[in-house]
């Protein structure tokens, strides 16, 4: 699968994660269309930029990633959402998949 040109929105409340993912994904030819640190901002930027993929953290201030996931999926766009988390909580996994996440990655696997 060719990932070059894939438009990505990165959402995490840790600056180091945002910068690291932007660097790595950019080197692979993906286009980072935005970065957000809260669930509400993730929804706003998804509406604005209509990314191909949103990499979405679960635990954030303002609105958690699962709430943001539900809101993003309700926008009726073709945006895929991949949950990115530090927590190996099976409940998060099941809820994310039920809400329409395309994937679920634990950060230590990166």
């Amino acid at each position: 699968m060719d990932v070059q040109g894939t438009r990505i929105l990165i959402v995490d409340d840790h600056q180091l994660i945002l910068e690291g993912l932007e660097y790595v994904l950019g080197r692979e030819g993906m286009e980072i269309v935005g970065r957000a640190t809260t669930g509400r901002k993730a929804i706003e930027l998804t509406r604005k930029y209509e990314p191909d993929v949103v990499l979405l953290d679960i635990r954030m201030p303002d609105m958690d990633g699962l709430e943001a996931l539900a809101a993003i999926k309700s926008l009726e766009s073709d945006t895929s959402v991949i949950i990115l988390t530090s927590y190996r909580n099976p409940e998060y996994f099941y809820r994310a998949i039920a809400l329409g996440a395309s994937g679920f990655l634990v950060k230590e696997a990166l």
Side-chain angles (χ1 to χ4, degrees), residues 30-42:
M30 295 176 220
E31 179 186 355
I32 308 306
V33 296
R35 299 184 338 185
T37 58
T38 68
R40 291 191 199 289
K41 191 68 172 178

Side-chain angles (χ1 to χ4, degrees), residues 7-92:
R7 303 175 71 249
I8 299 181
L9 171 64
I10 304 169
V11 185
D12 199 293
D13 61 332
H14 293 98
Q15 192 65 30
L16 186 60
I17 297 292
L18 288 173
E19 291 173 6
L21 285 172
E22 184 170 15
Y23 175 76
V24 170
L25 297 173
R27 287 189 60 192
E28 294 297 321
M30 295 176 220
E31 179 186 355
I32 308 306
V33 296
R35 299 184 338 185
T37 58
T38 68
R40 291 191 199 289
K41 191 68 172 178
I43 297 162
E44 176 187 325
L45 294 179
T46 299
R47 278 191 189 112
K48 182 177 180 178
Y49 295 118
E50 299 181 2
D52 299 314
V53 176
V54 175
L55 294 179
L56 183 62
D57 189 19
I58 286 183
R59 304 279 297 274
M60 296 179 294
D62 186 2
M63 173 189 281
D64 75 31
L66 294 172
E67 292 173 296
L69 167 62
I72 289 168
K73 295 311 283 183
S74 75
L75 297 175
E76 297 183 18
S77 72
D78 291 332
T79 298
S80 296
V81 179
I82 298 173
I83 296 294
L84 196 58
T85 185
S86 300
Y87 302 95
R88 291 181 171 270
N89 182 332
E91 180 65 24
Y92 287 159

